[in-house]
């Protein structure tokens, strides 16, 4: 764990990052958290995300996974996702796991 600056309030976690919650399982190489902007960014080759909730069934991967405070998840760079038996591939996928809304830049 590395805090870059007290003023910036950023944390950096490196090497085989794994996050498990009641709803999500995430694996990445690096995790960055910006406490001021309330953004978490996970980077890997690829970073993986999977639902652990029975209500929303999805899994995906991308070079970068970004969580915003508005509950949206962005899969960026060679992104792909399986959601309710639908396969999506794009350079960018925006997903809200709370309501199931998916969008893409392509």
């Amino acid at each position: 764990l590395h805090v870059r600056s007290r003023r910036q309030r950023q944390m950096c976690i490196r090497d085989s990052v794994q996050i498990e919650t009641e709803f999500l399982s995430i694996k990445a190489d690096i995790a960055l958290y910006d406490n001021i902007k309330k953004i978490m960014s996970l980077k890997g080759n690829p970073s993986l995300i999977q639902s652990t909730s029975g209500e929303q069934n999805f899994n995906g991967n991308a070079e970068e996974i970004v969580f915003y405070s508005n509950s949206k998840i962005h899969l960026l760079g060679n992104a792909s996702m399986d959601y309710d038996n639908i396969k999506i591939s794009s350079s960018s996928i925006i997903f809200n796991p709370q309501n199931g809304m998916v969008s893409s830049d392509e």
Side-chain angles (χ1 to χ4, degrees), residues 12-22 24-32 40-44 46-50 52 65 67:
C12 178
I13 304 167
R14 297 178 186 267
D15 300 323
S16 301
V17 176
Q18 187 165 337
I19 300 171
E20 300 282 337
T21 72
E22 182 180 353
L24 296 172
S25 174
I26 303 163
K27 293 181 182 179
D29 297 329
I30 297 171
L32 302 169
M40 177 173 273
S41 175
L42 298 116
K43 297 179 181 185
S47 296
L48 308 170
I49 185 169
Q50 182 175 13
T52 58
I65 300 172
F67 290 83

Side-chain angles (χ1 to χ4, degrees), residues 9-106:
R9 295 187 182 148
Q10 289 185 341
M11 290 189 307
C12 178
I13 304 167
R14 297 178 186 267
D15 300 323
S16 301
V17 176
Q18 187 165 337
I19 300 171
E20 300 282 337
T21 72
E22 182 180 353
F23 304 105
L24 296 172
S25 174
I26 303 163
K27 293 181 182 179
D29 297 329
I30 297 171
L32 302 169
Y33 180 70
D34 186 317
N35 193 37
I36 295 169
K37 295 179 182 178
K38 305 294 186 208
I39 296 172
M40 177 173 273
S41 175
L42 298 116
K43 297 179 181 185
N45 194 20
S47 296
L48 308 170
I49 185 169
Q50 182 175 13
S51 167
T52 58
S53 168
E55 293 180 25
Q56 300 289 339
N57 186 17
F58 64 87
N59 65 67
N61 63 71
E63 294 170 7
E64 183 175 12
I65 300 172
V66 182
F67 290 83
Y68 290 91
S69 59
N70 64 3
S71 301
K72 289 186 179 178
I73 299 170
H74 292 221
L75 305 178
L76 306 171
N78 296 319
S80 66
M81 180 172 212
D82 292 337
Y83 177 73
D84 280 343
N85 297 318
I86 298 170
K87 295 187 185 294
I88 303 166
S89 294
S90 179
S91 61
S92 173
I93 299 170
I94 301 168
F95 177 71
N96 186 326
Q98 295 178 346
N99 62 21
M101 298 297 294
V102 177
S103 61
S104 171
D105 70 349
E106 296 183 343

